[in-house]
Amino acid sequence: ACDCFPETLSKPVIWAKPSFMIPKGHPAVIWCQGPHQAVEYQLLFEGGLSALGRPKSPGSVNRAKFSVQAMNSNTAGQYQCLYRSGERWSQPSDPLDLVVTGLYDTPALSVQPRPEVTSGENVTFSCRLETATSMFFLLKEGRSSRPQHGYGTMQAEFPMGPVTRAHGGTYRCFGSYNKHAWSFPSEPVKLLVKEGADTVFLSSSLSLSPADGWDPYVLTVDTPIQKEPDLWDHTGQNLLRMGIAFLVLVALVGLLIEDCLHRKRRQDRTHGASSRGCRRRPRAQSPLEK
């Protein structure tokens, strides 16, 4: 029996290093990864063939490398890749939007009502670029970060909320005339989301896989630090006892010093009186001695 319905080849995975955002003039590497049976790869740029590549050791290495020497507005755009296994070609990968940054001025990012809020509140990020533009992007550092876009000539707002722990993290924004050519990044703005009076959520960094976005590849992990009532009570009681003991010690030392000074003053008075009593009086002359 013939195989009338051959097995469909899985799609390859595509990603860029060091990030999908590359500063103007900097190099970038695009990786395409398929199965170990892949013998050839194609890189597509804006739907057309851009380059061909082969794994260095077919059968043992299952990915191909495509280099961009210097990022600019002509090399920024949408990339896809596919691979050949035997005589068949796979379907194209999911698209990779490679962005060049540093083409315009630096925008200013702010958050209202304040950067430190309680879970359940609403916040609004505002990105402003003095150079007139048409599009803005807001990004949060992290694994699941996807650019949020807004429109405006000089400013765009990004409302968010009610916020939860997951919204906490570091944000930046960019201005742009199209989705692949962005401005310099804004200064980072950190949003801190608190839950309750005794719980504070801190951010820590973990390494991510090459396919993830922001460079450096960081994941915001919310780690609650709970106050333990028993521990805090014992610590406070011990500190209070130590403070009282110190005050008592100071008072005792003061009393001893005062007693010593009092004894010394009394001894000085007694010594002075004795000296005056022992002093001889002058003898009166008789009439015969005159």
Side-chain angles (χ1 to χ4, degrees):
C2 67
D3 188 1
C4 299
F5 300 96
E7 181 183 357
T8 303
L9 297 178
S10 60
K11 293 192 301 183
V13 178
I14 189 173
W15 71 91
K17 289 284 287 182
S19 170
F20 75 92
M21 299 178 300
I22 308 295
K24 180 182 177 181
H26 287 226
V29 174
I30 300 174
W31 288 97
C32 185
Q33 180 174 306
H36 288 283
Q37 295 77 21
V39 295
E40 188 177 10
Y41 289 84
Q42 287 186 356
L43 182 66
L44 307 180
F45 177 62
E46 297 294 343
L49 179 62
S50 174
L52 293 172
R54 292 178 178 271
K56 289 185 176 181
S57 302
S60 60
V61 177
N62 63 334
R63 61 183 182 178
K65 174 182 177 182
F66 301 93
S67 298
V68 178
Q69 299 301 321
M71 278 296 297
N72 55 52
S73 57
N74 294 323
T75 56
Q78 190 173 92
Y79 289 83
Q80 289 178 287
C81 71
L82 56 160
Y83 65 89
R84 181 173 63 85
S85 177
E87 299 300 322
R88 293 187 298 157
W89 285 93
S90 70
Q91 293 295 313
S93 66
D94 292 333
L96 166 69
D97 289 309
L98 196 60
V99 173
V100 59
T101 64
L103 296 184
Y104 315 110
D105 295 334
T106 302
L109 180 63
S110 61
V111 61
Q112 298 296 331
R114 58 195 174 278
E116 185 174 321
V117 295
T118 304
S119 179
E121 291 189 61
N122 296 320
V123 299
T124 300
F125 285 91
S126 296
C127 185
R128 181 177 180 83
L129 185 62
E130 294 300 329
T131 304
T133 184
S134 59
M135 191 180 304
F136 291 86
F137 293 91
L138 178 69
L139 280 84
K140 176 192 172 187
E141 295 182 7
R143 176 191 292 270
S144 60
S145 176
R146 294 294 180 269
Q148 301 180 42
H149 64 272
Y151 299 94
T153 55
M154 296 182 68
Q155 179 173 315
E157 293 187 345
F158 300 87
M160 191 179 300
V163 297
T164 64
R165 293 167 43 191
H167 291 92
T170 302
Y171 291 80
R172 299 174 189 261
C173 75
F174 298 79
S176 173
Y177 284 103
N178 65 66
K179 63 185 296 186
H180 297 116
W182 294 6
S183 70
F184 287 96
S186 69
E187 290 297 319
V189 171
K190 188 169 185 179
L191 180 66
L192 179 63
V193 181
K194 291 186 174 182
E195 289 194 7
D198 294 336
T199 306
V200 179
F201 296 95
L202 303 178
S203 296
S204 59
S205 298
L206 300 176
S207 298
L208 302 184
S209 66
D212 294 311
W214 192 277
D215 181 30
Y217 304 105
V218 295
L219 171 65
T220 300
V221 179
D222 294 323
T223 306
I225 300 177
Q226 297 280 1
K227 290 183 179 179
E228 298 183 11
D230 293 339
L231 177 62
W232 284 92
D233 288 346
H234 292 324
T235 303
Q237 291 174 5
N238 290 334
L239 290 174
L240 181 61
R241 293 191 187 101
M242 292 173 62
I244 294 175
F246 177 75
L247 292 176
V248 170
L249 180 61
V250 170
L252 290 175
V253 171
L255 290 174
L256 288 173
I257 294 173
E258 177 65 24
D259 183 65
C260 289
L261 292 175
H262 180 70
R263 289 172 179 269
K264 188 176 184 304
R265 286 195 296 267
R266 191 166 60 183
Q267 289 175 357
D268 290 343
R269 288 197 297 268
T270 304
H271 180 70
S274 300
S275 299
R276 290 192 298 271
C278 296
R279 190 179 301 159
R280 297 181 61 184
R281 295 180 181 179
R283 184 170 55 90
Q285 292 181 335
S286 64
L288 297 177
E289 294 176 342
K290 292 182 180 180

